Amino acid sequence: MKLFIKEITILFLFTFLIGELICRIFSIVSDIPIRGNRDGYYLLKESQSGIYIRGKLPRWLNAKYSINNYGFNSSKDYVFDKNLKSKIALIGDSFVEGFQVDVTKSIGRLIEDSKPNHEVYEFGLSGFNFFDYQELYQKYNLQNFKKVFIILDMDDVLTIKSEKVFFSKNLETKERVFRKIYNSVLFFKYLNFNHGIIREILRIFKTFNSINSILNFSNKKQIQSLDINQFIKNLKSILWNIDHVST
């Protein structure tokens, strides 16, 4: 048994070492956009860029992103000056955020190509809903823009509260400590971001607990069944004794 555990450990370490080496030689690990404290909420940090790599071979997303001065994925910084009548606003979730395509080929840039005299500002944040869209509209005074388009799906409308997350102490610790460790171990980062290894481990653990609960429940039912049989047997014995005493 000890030899088996030793061999498994050596195999695991060797595989991990090879995986880490491959991830450092080839560009297969995503630059995950950094989140932090923005106005008390857990949102994307301003002024960062990188390459977003997601998926499994042969379907592989590889796109450049650029978080601008207001924390939105856009190739241009936003300026809220008096010249707003030539500006168009797009509001939405990950569809508008657009990490899946190069930032220079986003919806906003395509609209600008077809309408050269207009400038498009994209206000897209993954997970946001109609409550958040309303807040964005008011916060940036988008009523002064020439056009405002809000891209919705059914879930955005049926929701009952904002999806924004407060920047708690736990999130601060996560970003300050664990994020650095996570970003330094490239093979694990690749397995988790592209293949969801943590999610799969939790799923297996949950399945194991469910099976264990079913087995325990089954055992309890057997025990209860034995107790009932014993009760009937005792009852018959008592009735037999009563009958004989009365006679």
Side-chain angles (χ1 to χ4, degrees):
M1 186 64 180
K2 290 182 179 180
L3 181 61
F4 174 74
I5 294 174
K6 181 180 178 181
E7 290 176 348
I8 290 295
T9 303
I10 293 173
L11 180 61
F12 172 79
L13 292 175
F14 179 76
T15 303
F16 195 89
L17 181 63
I18 295 298
E20 186 72 18
L21 195 61
I22 291 172
C23 289
R24 293 185 180 277
I25 294 174
F26 301 101
S27 300
I28 62 173
V29 182
S30 178
D31 300 317
I32 301 175
I34 300 171
R35 292 176 179 264
N37 185 0
R38 267 182 51 207
D39 302 323
Y41 293 99
Y42 187 52
L43 298 170
L44 292 172
K45 283 191 172 183
E46 304 92 335
S47 305
Q48 56 172 312
S49 60
I51 299 176
Y52 185 87
I53 301 172
R54 196 71 184 262
K56 305 174 183 178
L57 290 174
R59 297 183 64 186
W60 189 277
L61 290 174
N62 190 320
K64 295 178 181 179
Y65 69 84
S66 178
I67 311 302
N68 68 7
N69 58 329
Y70 277 87
F72 298 99
N73 187 30
S74 177
S75 59
K76 58 175 60 181
D77 286 339
Y78 296 165
V79 179
F80 296 91
D81 53 16
K82 295 181 179 180
N83 185 26
L84 296 177
K85 291 300 180 182
S86 64
K87 290 183 171 66
I88 298 173
L90 296 179
I91 304 176
D93 56 10
S94 57
F95 187 79
V96 176
E97 189 177 47
F99 280 117
Q100 293 81 10
V101 297
D102 279 340
V103 69
T104 55
K105 299 177 183 177
S106 66
I107 301 173
R109 303 297 77 79
L110 295 177
I111 294 174
E112 288 176 348
D113 289 342
S114 62
K115 294 183 176 294
N117 296 326
H118 293 78
E119 193 174 11
V120 181
Y121 284 8
E122 298 151 310
F123 298 91
L125 287 170
S126 178
F128 271 29
N129 58 41
F130 193 68
F131 286 95
D132 305 305
Y133 304 156
Q134 287 179 302
E135 185 179 335
L136 288 173
Y137 185 90
Q138 296 166 357
K139 180 178 180 179
Y140 296 108
N141 296 313
L142 299 184
Q143 68 274 8
N144 296 322
F145 278 45
K146 183 176 182 179
K147 295 281 186 181
V148 177
F149 295 95
I150 301 177
I151 300 176
L152 300 167
D153 62 23
M154 189 61 71
D155 292 336
D156 293 331
V157 178
L158 296 178
T159 188
I160 59 174
K161 64 178 182 178
S162 169
E163 289 296 328
K164 287 203 301 186
V165 178
F166 287 105
F167 189 74
S168 62
K169 288 289 185 182
N170 289 338
L171 287 174
E172 182 182 2
T173 303
K174 171 187 171 183
E175 292 299 324
R176 183 166 46 86
V177 179
F178 294 104
R179 182 68 64 186
K180 292 180 179 179
I181 299 172
Y182 182 74
N183 287 334
S184 63
V185 186
L186 296 187
F187 185 47
F188 178 76
K189 182 181 178 182
Y190 165 77
L191 289 176
N192 187 53
F193 194 68
N194 289 64
H195 298 272
I197 187 171
I198 292 179
R199 183 180 65 249
E200 288 301 314
I201 291 173
L202 291 175
R203 184 184 63 80
I204 293 170
F205 183 74
K206 185 177 180 180
T207 303
F208 177 79
N209 279 343
S210 298
I211 294 171
N212 193 40
S213 298
I214 292 170
L215 292 174
N216 288 336
F217 180 73
S218 177
N219 290 334
K220 286 180 181 179
K221 286 189 68 176
Q222 290 179 5
I223 292 171
Q224 288 175 357
S225 177
L226 288 173
D227 290 342
I228 291 171
N229 292 332
Q230 186 64 43
F231 172 77
I232 294 171
K233 183 178 180 181
N234 292 338
L235 181 62
K236 286 181 178 179
S237 177
I238 292 170
L239 292 174
W240 185 86
N241 290 329
I242 292 173
D243 184 60
H244 277 71
V245 168
S246 60
T247 57

